[in-house]
Amino acid sequence: MNTIINDIVYWLGIISAIFGIISGLNLFFQYFYNRKIGFYLFINKIFLGNREVHFKLSSNFKFSNSFELFKKFNEVLHESQEKYEMVVNLKNHKMYNIRNGIILDIQCQDPIDDTDLKDVFIQVIDAGVTLRTGLDIISLFGNLIPKLGNKLNISDQDYNFQILYDNRKNPFIGMKLKAFSNDNIKTFQCKVNYYALLPNQYKGANKTIDINKSNLSLNDENYTNLSEAAKVLLAV
């Protein structure tokens, strides 16, 4: 009888130790997942890499000559060795199908003021893709468009990144607000410091991420910083 009781106590001790280890590992995981951006991204890339994300990525600047603009962009494409197909080929509007699915649209619009500088707008079209593909698009955009600006000697080039939440819940709306359901939340607006995402790059900088019910948006003149923030935000 004592032997049976001793065996039960022994196995209960082992089970208790196992549950203790599991509990400790869970606390460790939750701490790093909720507090460390790098760990959070690593886990999401593994388990949520096929989750669909919808976003817009664009750049705008002013330039005088549309012919020179597209000539230099073709040089950038050639140097990058990216495979592409011309989908639209007009004088002031061209659209490129890169890597058989990434549509890049470049428009050069006449100025509305008295200057000779045209408004150039570059954007990724219909970027409703998986998280992994979204990260590839952000990298591709960074390999092409900043180089185009350098070739054209553009000193004032802006970048914009937006995530659309039209068909899914905005993860930045807190649990208490989510209890009302998404349909019952009429408006939601929040501004978050870049510093919260990229403390090393943005310490002391006065830049914000604009978060609304159906989308978020951020602007920057530095594509490297914008792309790093965009990768973090896509994984949320």
Side-chain angles (χ1 to χ4, degrees):
M1 187 66 178
N2 289 335
T3 302
I4 295 175
I5 293 175
N6 289 336
D7 287 343
I8 293 174
V9 171
Y10 172 76
W11 286 109
L12 286 176
I14 291 178
I15 293 172
S16 178
I18 292 174
F19 274 102
I21 293 172
I22 293 174
S23 177
L25 291 174
N26 182 60
L27 289 174
F28 175 85
F29 176 85
Q30 292 295 333
Y31 175 84
F32 280 92
Y33 186 78
N34 293 321
R35 294 171 181 260
K36 303 297 181 181
I37 289 294
F39 185 74
Y40 176 87
L41 290 175
F42 174 74
I43 295 298
N44 276 18
K45 285 178 183 177
I46 293 175
F47 295 101
L48 300 178
N50 292 322
R51 171 172 61 84
E52 188 175 77
V53 293
H54 293 265
F55 68 93
K56 295 180 179 180
L57 183 59
S58 63
S59 175
N60 66 86
F61 55 88
K62 292 182 179 295
F63 193 66
S64 59
N65 189 317
S66 60
F67 177 80
E68 186 69 12
L69 166 72
F70 293 115
K71 176 184 175 182
K72 292 298 183 183
F73 184 68
N74 287 335
E75 290 180 8
V76 171
L77 280 174
H78 179 74
E79 292 168 2
S80 68
Q81 298 183 337
E82 292 286 352
K83 295 182 179 180
Y84 70 93
E85 177 187 0
M86 188 78 75
V87 180
V88 174
N89 187 13
L90 302 176
K91 178 182 177 181
N92 292 322
H93 180 201
K94 300 186 188 298
M95 194 177 293
Y96 305 82
N97 183 352
I98 305 173
R99 296 183 184 176
N100 194 28
I102 301 174
I103 307 300
L104 191 68
D105 183 71
I106 304 180
Q107 297 188 42
C108 191
Q109 301 175 351
D110 291 330
I112 58 176
D113 51 25
D114 294 332
T115 67
D116 294 328
L117 297 177
K118 298 177 182 290
D119 293 312
V120 179
F121 187 73
I122 305 171
Q123 65 176 333
V124 175
I125 298 294
D126 296 331
V129 296
T130 65
L131 174 58
R132 290 191 179 94
T133 302
L135 297 177
D136 289 340
I137 291 174
I138 292 172
S139 296
L140 172 66
F141 198 89
N143 287 335
L144 299 178
I145 308 309
K147 291 179 181 178
L148 173 62
N150 290 335
K151 281 183 175 290
L152 298 175
N153 295 317
I154 302 298
S155 59
D156 187 12
Q157 184 171 5
D158 293 324
Y159 300 95
N160 175 262
F161 174 78
Q162 298 180 46
I163 298 180
L164 310 178
Y165 299 117
D166 294 337
N167 298 319
R168 66 186 182 96
K169 291 183 178 180
N170 186 332
F172 292 95
I173 296 179
M175 293 305 297
K176 290 184 178 180
L177 282 178
K178 285 183 179 179
F180 291 105
S181 83
N182 200 51
D183 292 337
N184 291 322
I185 300 174
K186 301 304 180 184
T187 60
F188 175 81
Q189 189 172 20
C190 177
K191 290 183 180 291
V192 179
N193 286 331
Y194 256 118
Y195 178 72
L197 292 178
L198 304 169
N200 294 327
Q201 292 94 320
Y202 277 97
K203 189 172 184 180
N206 185 26
K207 289 185 177 291
T208 60
I209 302 166
D210 296 320
I211 304 173
N212 299 296
K213 176 188 173 183
S214 59
N215 65 80
L216 68 77
S217 177
L218 59 150
N219 297 283
D220 204 317
E221 303 83 19
N222 184 309
Y223 188 78
T224 299
N225 289 338
L226 180 134
S227 65
E228 290 302 313
K231 291 174 184 178
V232 173
L233 292 167
L234 272 184
V236 175

